[in-house]
Amino acid sequence: MKRLAALLLIAAVAAPAAAVGLGPLAKQGITDGDGKAFYLTVMNPYDRPAEFFAYPVGLDDEARQERVAIVPDRVRLGSKQNRSILVIARGLAPGETYQFRVCAEREMPEQGTVHARVCSKLSARRIAAR
């Protein structure tokens, strides 16, 4: 019985921490220049203000993507608010398809080891030179 109560308590604490809003979850675009921009939306589903941060990582790993800029990369949102962020992939070579993820997390210093996030998969393709 104590084990069940402990599991229910953990589930109750973890469920609100998992809610992070970012969309769309996948986006692709084509460009004829060396950069491609995307807009993503960060959403605060909470009943209180919260701070969120976004960062770029590899498609299949956690390697930081230095070719990607996010403006702004930190936002403080009021209850049930959302905001667009600009994501720019730079240094695209002619004919290159560059795939990466942008992840958003909520600032939770009180939670310690909780690492709740959501990621969008992005693909930028530069058309080949003629």
Side-chain angles (χ1 to χ4, degrees):
M1 190 65 169
K2 287 184 180 181
R3 181 176 285 170
L4 177 61
L7 288 174
L8 291 174
L9 178 62
I10 290 170
V13 171
V20 176
L22 180 68
L25 294 178
K27 201 167 189 178
Q28 53 187 309
I30 299 172
T31 184
D32 63 352
D34 67 346
K36 175 64 184 150
F38 300 93
Y39 281 104
L40 297 178
T41 302
V42 178
M43 296 159 268
N44 178 6
Y46 299 99
D47 291 329
R48 62 189 183 286
E51 186 168 340
F52 298 86
F53 63 98
Y55 54 93
V57 293
L59 189 62
D60 298 318
D61 58 35
E62 297 299 312
R64 178 109 178 139
Q65 299 299 294
E66 300 301 329
R67 295 170 53 183
V68 178
I70 301 173
V71 181
D73 62 349
R74 290 184 173 275
V75 294
R76 181 159 180 81
L77 299 173
S79 170
K80 310 291 184 194
Q81 299 287 311
N82 62 55
R83 178 173 178 178
S84 292
I85 59 173
L86 179 63
V87 177
I88 305 168
R90 302 172 301 214
L92 298 170
E96 177 186 13
T97 298
Y98 178 48
Q99 297 178 313
F100 59 98
R101 293 177 297 151
V102 170
C103 299
E105 290 187 30
R106 180 176 156 222
E107 286 283 335
M108 296 184 290
E110 71 281 357
Q111 295 292 330
T113 60
V114 174
H115 187 70
R117 71 177 184 179
V118 65
C119 300
S120 288
K121 292 181 180 180
L122 303 176
S123 176
R125 185 170 65 87
R126 182 175 179 182
I127 41 183
R130 293 185 182 192

